[in-house]
Amino acid sequence: MGQSIQRAINLIRRSAEHPLTLTEASEVLGVHKSTALRILQTLESARFVRKTGAGTYVFGSGLIELSELALGSMDLRQFAAAHLRQLQRQTGHTVHLAQLTGDEIVYIDKVDSPAFDAVKLPSRVGRAVSIYASAVGKVILAYLPRDERDRLLSHVVFERYTETTFADRDALEAELVHVGEQGWAADNGEHDAYVMCIAAPIRDSRGRVIAAISMTAIEVIASLETLKDSLPLLLETATLISREMGYTPQAVAAH
C-alpha cells in the first residue's frame, strides 16, 4: 500500500513538471495501462490531475486549492510565538510581530522587555503602525509588488513626525530600495524620536514577504547602533519563522 501511494505521489509530481501520456503514467505507477487509466480517472475526479485536449494529463487545480486552504489556515502568530520569546530572552529588547491586514500594518504579537516596566512603549497588539514611519512598515512595503505598494501609498498623507521621518514619497522610495537591497530596515526615531527599531521580513512558502519581526528599544536604554549589534539574531529569527511558514530558498528559486 505504501509503495502504491508513493507512486501516485510521484505521478502527481511528474504531472506538475510536464504533461504525461498514459504510457508514461503506467511506467511511473509500475502498472498496466488499464490500471493506470483507472488511477488517473480517480485522481481526475478529485481534480488532482486534469486531462488535456491532447489526451495527456497535467497537474490539477484540486491540489492548488488544498495548498491555498493550508496556507490560509496557518496561524502566523502561533508559529512565531516561541521564536519571538526566544529572541526577547536573548537580546532583552521588546519584540514585535506585524502583518499587513487590509490597508494597514498591524501588530499581531508583542513580547515586552522587562526594561520597560516603568516606561511602556506605545505599541500594542491589534494596533496599526505607521506604514511609512516604522521599520516593520518599511520592510513590508519594500517587498510588496509595485502595484500593491502604489495602491497602499496612494492613500497616505505624509506627515513629518520627527526630524528623521521620510516625509515624502521620493525620499521613502529611495529608502525602500535601500531596505530591499540590505534585507532589513531601521527606524531611527522616525515616528517617536525616542524609539529605535530594526526589522526583518518573514516569508511564506512562495517566498512572499507576509509579515515583519522587529526589535525595539527606547534610546536611553539602547541606541540604534546598539540594537544593530543584535541584527544577526533578528535575521536568524526571521529565517526560522519563515521556515515555519514553509519558506525554503531552494524551492522558491526552483519556481
Side-chain angles (χ1 to χ4, degrees):
M1 176 65 74
Q3 189 178 42
S4 298
I5 294 172
Q6 183 59 57
R7 286 175 174 173
I9 292 171
N10 292 339
L11 179 70
I12 294 170
R13 284 178 173 167
R14 291 280 289 274
S15 73
E17 296 171 357
H18 61 81
L20 289 175
T21 64
L22 180 57
T23 299
E24 289 173 315
S26 68
E27 291 173 355
V28 172
L29 292 168
V31 297
H32 192 272
K33 286 185 181 180
S34 60
T35 303
L37 179 59
R38 288 196 296 271
I39 293 173
L40 284 167
Q41 288 172 337
T42 300
L43 292 173
E44 187 180 13
S45 66
R47 290 181 292 111
F48 289 174
V49 298
R50 176 176 59 84
K51 190 175 183 179
T52 70
T56 56
Y57 292 85
V58 296
F59 193 77
S61 63
L63 282 170
I64 297 174
E65 291 173 11
L66 284 178
S67 176
E68 293 290 346
L69 287 171
L71 289 171
S73 67
M74 282 184 174
D75 184 341
L76 173 59
R77 183 174 176 179
Q78 176 186 344
F79 281 111
H83 299 294
L84 300 182
R85 281 143 187 81
Q86 175 68 11
L87 180 62
Q88 196 288 313
R89 288 192 295 269
Q90 290 174 313
T91 64
H93 301 305
T94 295
V95 176
H96 295 96
L97 181 65
Q99 187 174 34
L100 180 63
T101 303
D103 292 344
E104 295 183 319
I105 293 173
V106 177
Y107 290 122
I108 62 173
D109 204 354
K110 176 184 179 183
V111 187
D112 278 309
S113 166
F116 293 135
D117 284 344
V119 182
K120 291 292 184 184
L121 287 168
S123 58
R124 65 175 184 270
V125 174
R127 179 177 180 176
V129 61
S130 172
I131 200 168
Y132 67 94
S134 67
V136 291
K138 290 188 294 184
V139 160
I140 292 173
L141 280 177
Y143 293 98
L144 281 178
R146 185 70 201 204
D147 57 346
E148 178 67 4
R149 184 199 300 179
D150 288 343
R151 186 187 67 80
L152 290 173
L153 291 178
S154 68
H155 304 298
V156 170
V157 177
F158 286 91
E159 179 179 350
R160 183 172 295 280
Y161 298 106
T162 72
E163 292 182 357
T164 57
T165 306
F166 292 91
D168 65 76
R169 181 69 184 268
D170 289 342
L172 177 64
E173 288 291 350
E175 169 71 353
L176 295 181
V177 169
H178 177 61
V179 169
E181 290 174 347
Q182 71 179 6
W184 56 278
D187 173 359
N188 185 22
E190 293 160 27
H191 191 275
D192 299 289
Y194 62 95
V195 177
M196 304 291 113
C197 185
I198 55 176
I202 293 172
R203 299 177 183 273
D204 65 10
S205 61
R206 299 179 180 181
R208 299 177 303 185
V209 172
I210 57 169
I213 180 176
S214 70
M215 289 191 306
T216 308
I218 293 174
E219 189 175 21
V220 295
I221 294 175
S223 67
L224 183 58
E225 291 306 310
T226 300
L227 273 183
K228 289 179 184 178
D229 291 339
S230 297
L231 179 61
L233 285 173
L234 177 70
L235 294 173
E236 179 185 358
T237 303
T239 297
L240 291 172
I241 297 172
S242 296
R243 288 176 181 168
E244 295 271 14
M245 299 304 294
Y247 173 66
T248 57
Q250 296 85 354
V252 172
H255 285 75

